[in-house]
């Protein structure tokens, strides 16, 4: 079935930001008393909003300053500004969707400021202008399905006629709760956790040509 709306996650789906962001997070939390590696942070926090990361870090024993959110975003943005690549094949997929006049959007637990940096570097930001749904703006985050519901309502598409492209368990759960089919992008691992959350696993972005019938 060709969908009427394709909903993309941002980090790890449109752009390969996770290694950079989690390296910064690991260094920061280690400095504040919670010794974690980049791999630990990727396993624990991929797809999380930073507000929820803060709550979990405090629960685990980190000693964070009152301005921690400002601090971590400043460090992360500085690192991201040095350059992160677009996911291989994503421009080709968007070109196909444009040719079919098939709408798409981005739904992310990240902030719009962050997406302006990461998507803006790769010629992707302009492709999603007017179609960005951020947890920071809407004051909710995955796995709450409200972000996905907002996208459906904006494009006037029923859940059964949309698909979500995700790389995080939280995103896959949110899609499932919204009643939307989810494809789990797992280029670097087996995707067992995504599959357990209801996602159909794929490894290469160009596979969406056949998966979405585009």
């Amino acid at each position: 079935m060709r969908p009427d709306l394709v909903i993309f996650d941002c980090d790890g789906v449109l752009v390969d930001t996770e290694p950079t962001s989690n390296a910064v997070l690991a260094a920061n939390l280690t400095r504040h008393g919670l010794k974690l590696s980049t791999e630990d942070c990727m396993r624990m926090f991929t797809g999380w909003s930073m507000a929820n990361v803060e709550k979990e870090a405090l629960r685990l024993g980190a000693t964070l300053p009152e301005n921690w959110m400002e601090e971590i975003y400043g460090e992360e943005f500085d690192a991201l500004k040095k350059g992160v690549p677009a996911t291989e094949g994503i421009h080709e997929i968007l070109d196909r969707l444009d040719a079919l006049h098939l709408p798409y959007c981005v739904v992310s637990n990240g902030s719009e400021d962050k997406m302006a940096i990461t998507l803006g570097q790769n010629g992707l930001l302009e492709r999603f202008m007017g179609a960005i749904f951020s947890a920071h703006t809407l004051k909710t985050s995955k796995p709450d399905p409200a972000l996905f519901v907002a996208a459906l309502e904006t494009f006037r598409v029923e859940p059964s006629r949309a698909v979500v492209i995700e790389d995080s368990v939280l995103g896959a759960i949110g899609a499932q709760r919204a009643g939307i089919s989810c494809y789990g992008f797992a280029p670097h691992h087996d995707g067992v956790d995504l599959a357990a959350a209801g996602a159909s696993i794929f490894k290469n972005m160009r596979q969406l040509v056949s998966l979405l019938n585009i």
Side-chain angles (χ1 to χ4, degrees):
M1 177 197 81
R2 179 181 296 169
D4 294 330
L5 174 66
V6 182
I7 302 172
F8 292 94
D9 178 44
C10 183
D11 297 309
V13 172
L14 298 176
V15 283
D16 189 16
T17 56
E18 295 294 359
T20 298
S21 293
N22 282 286
V24 170
L25 181 60
N28 179 282
L29 292 178
T30 296
R31 194 168 69 244
H32 290 303
L34 185 60
K35 189 173 182 179
L36 295 173
S37 67
T38 299
E39 291 73 22
D40 290 333
C41 287
M42 290 185 73
R43 174 176 50 81
M44 295 169 63
F45 299 128
T46 292
W48 286 43
S49 68
M50 202 62 79
N52 285 333
V53 171
E54 181 180 34
K55 292 176 185 176
E56 181 66 4
L58 289 169
R59 188 188 71 80
L60 292 172
T63 303
L64 304 181
E66 289 186 7
N67 69 334
W68 183 77
M69 292 281 283
E70 180 182 345
E71 175 186 285
I72 189 62
Y73 276 127
E75 293 174 7
E76 182 185 28
F77 289 4
D78 284 345
L80 293 172
K81 286 174 182 176
K82 295 177 182 177
V84 291
T87 299
E88 185 178 356
I90 191 61
H91 280 288
E92 178 183 328
I93 295 302
L94 298 181
D95 287 344
R96 284 178 172 268
L97 295 176
D98 286 339
L100 292 167
H101 304 288
L102 203 164
Y104 51 86
C105 63
V106 57
V107 169
S108 176
N109 276 353
S111 68
E112 291 186 354
D113 288 343
K114 180 180 178 181
M115 285 186 272
I117 294 169
T118 60
L119 300 181
Q121 296 173 355
N122 295 289
L124 289 168
L125 184 62
E126 56 265 34
R127 304 191 78 152
F128 286 92
M129 293 304 294
I132 294 175
F133 299 86
S134 164
H136 287 234
T137 301
L138 296 177
K139 307 303 180 186
T140 186
S141 60
K142 307 168 191 175
D144 186 340
L147 282 172
F148 295 114
V149 172
L152 293 173
E153 291 176 346
T154 297
F155 286 92
R156 299 181 181 180
V157 173
E158 293 296 317
S160 62
R161 297 298 308 172
V163 297
V164 168
I165 314 300
E166 267 288 353
D167 74 321
S168 77
V169 171
L170 292 182
I173 293 172
Q176 185 179 61
R177 290 176 177 175
I180 310 172
S181 296
C182 179
Y183 289 107
F185 184 50
H188 305 304
H189 57 88
D190 57 18
V192 170
D193 54 345
L194 284 168
S200 299
I201 306 305
F202 72 107
K203 297 287 187 179
N204 186 303
M205 196 58 66
R206 293 185 177 91
Q207 288 178 262
L208 289 180
V209 173
S210 58
L211 293 173
L212 301 182
N213 190 27
I214 57 173

